[in-house]
């Protein structure tokens, strides 16, 4: 089952569900966030709860997308309670680009390659014991979450603005602090790779950018092998077109291990919060020398996730921007 939601003309949120090609309104006034919290409280799964609520008339998701009405598939009504995070060096092949960016003059093993090797050796533990920790980063709150079809704004101080096609896990925290996974969705973990390349310690800065998720959320298990495609369109023509893969068959960590090392922190288990956690990628246009420009359209697709995720790049025209001055009380 795929779930999505859109903004109605009266300002409300409408959930849409589909199995296969036909999408139908879900007979509820709840958002997906409300529905997920309701399921956590009732102890029932999303699919079963939607079956209880029932479906209404068919709806044209493509038309809603084109009209700019689609929303991210899960977010908290207060953006401060949506947390955007991710992990890197989790996919087989993901280390090569990073290692080239951070290659040492003496050709010794880079810190990136070392962490990748740790993941290969210990990211898929047997039994219930935790595996090795992945690389982890913070992207911001829900204020940085961009809807499908909306613009990805690069800040004035950015050195670069590049896509990262990924799968994200979407979670709510139940009333007792238990994390619940609502589903998975396509994500563009938009980053500044030129800034990161200067020094790997700048990775934290390079990740503090907006990102896009959606438009549809897969309810249920993530397939072992996800086959997707990442494109960049300029004036309607593809300047970058490459496959990307995800799913545990293509990863050095299990999803469960990545989830453990995020939600082991009590600060991330606050009741009612939403978490959008991106699992990493192995495909970047930056690795092929592509320099994105304002007006370029990022398109990330995978048949498993329904409609593609599309966003246009919008760069600030303010050069480096003005220095922030802190006011004194």
């Amino acid at each position: 089952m795929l779930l999505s939601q859109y903004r109605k003309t009266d300002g409300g949120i409408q959930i849409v569900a589909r199995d296969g090609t036909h999408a139908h309104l879900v007979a509820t006034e709840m958002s997906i966030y409300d529905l997920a919290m309701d399921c956590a409280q009732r102890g029932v799964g999303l699919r079963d709860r939607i079956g209880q609520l029932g479906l209404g008339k068919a709806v044209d998701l493509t038309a809603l997308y084109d009209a700019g009405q689609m929303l991210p598939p899960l977010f908290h009504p207060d953006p401060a309670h949506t947390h955007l995070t991710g992990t890197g060096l989790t996919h087989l092949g993901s280390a090569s680009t990073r290692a080239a960016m951070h290659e040492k003059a003496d050709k010794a093993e880079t810190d990136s390659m070392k962490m990748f090797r740790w993941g290969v050796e210990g990211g898929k533990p047997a039994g219930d014991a935790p595996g090795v920790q992945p690389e982890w980063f913070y992207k911001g709150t829900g204020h940085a979450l961009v809807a499908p079809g909306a613009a990805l704004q690069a800040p004035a101080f950015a050195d670069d603005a590049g896509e990262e096609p990924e799968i994200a896990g979407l979670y709510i925290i139940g009333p007792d602090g238990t994390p619940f996974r609502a589903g998975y969705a396509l994500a563009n973990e938009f980053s500044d790779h030129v800034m990161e390349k200067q020094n790997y310690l700048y990775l934290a800065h390079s990740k503090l950018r907006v990102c896009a998720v959606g438009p549809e959320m897969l309810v249920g298990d993530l397939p072992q092998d996800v086959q997707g495609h990442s494109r960049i369109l300029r004036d309607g023509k593809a300047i970058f077109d490459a496959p990307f893969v995800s799913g545990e068959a293509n990863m050095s960590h299990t999803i469960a291990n990545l989830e453990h090392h995020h939600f082991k922190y009590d600060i991330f288990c606050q009741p009612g919060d939403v978490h959008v956690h991106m699992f990493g990628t192995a495909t970047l246009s930056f690795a092929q020398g592509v320099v994105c420009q304002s007006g370029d359209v990022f398109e990330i697709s995978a048949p498993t996730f329904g409609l593609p995720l599309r966003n246009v790049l919008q760069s600030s025209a303010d050069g480096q921007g003005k220095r922030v001055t802190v006011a004194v009380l």
Side-chain angles (χ1 to χ4, degrees), residues 144-270:
L145 182 60
V146 173
L152 290 167
Q153 177 75 51
F157 54 79
D159 295 323
D160 180 45
E163 88 299 337
E164 293 202 15
E166 306 197 12
I167 305 301
L170 309 181
Y171 307 86
I172 57 99
I173 309 301
D176 65 351
T178 300
F180 289 88
R181 187 195 317 114
Y184 300 93
L186 294 173
N188 186 343
E189 196 272 288
F190 187 61
S191 298
D192 188 333
H193 302 106
V194 171
M195 179 178 289
E196 179 191 343
K197 187 176 181 179
Q198 296 175 50
N199 189 299
Y200 75 94
L201 296 177
Y202 276 164
L203 182 137
H205 283 283
S206 76
K207 297 298 186 181
L208 290 173
R209 302 290 187 272
V210 295
C211 65
V213 178
E216 299 185 80
M217 177 178 76
L218 175 67
V219 176
D221 295 330
L222 183 69
Q224 286 288 306
D225 182 24
V226 175
Q227 299 287 326
H229 225 78
S230 178
R231 296 202 304 164
I232 301 175
L233 305 174
R234 181 174 296 166
D235 299 326
K237 298 180 180 179
I239 62 167
F240 175 75
D241 193 331
F244 78 91
V245 296
S246 193
E248 289 186 0
N250 303 298
M251 297 172 67
S252 52
H253 288 260
T254 63
I255 298 297
N257 192 52
L258 301 180
E259 291 174 335
H260 163 76
H261 285 296
H262 181 72
F263 291 111
K264 68 184 181 184
Y265 297 104
D266 290 342
I267 195 173
F268 292 147
C269 294
Q270 301 303 305

Side-chain angles (χ1 to χ4, degrees), residues 293-304:
Q293 301 177 4
S294 188
D296 289 349
V297 176
F298 301 115
E299 181 184 87
I300 297 169
S301 62
T304 301

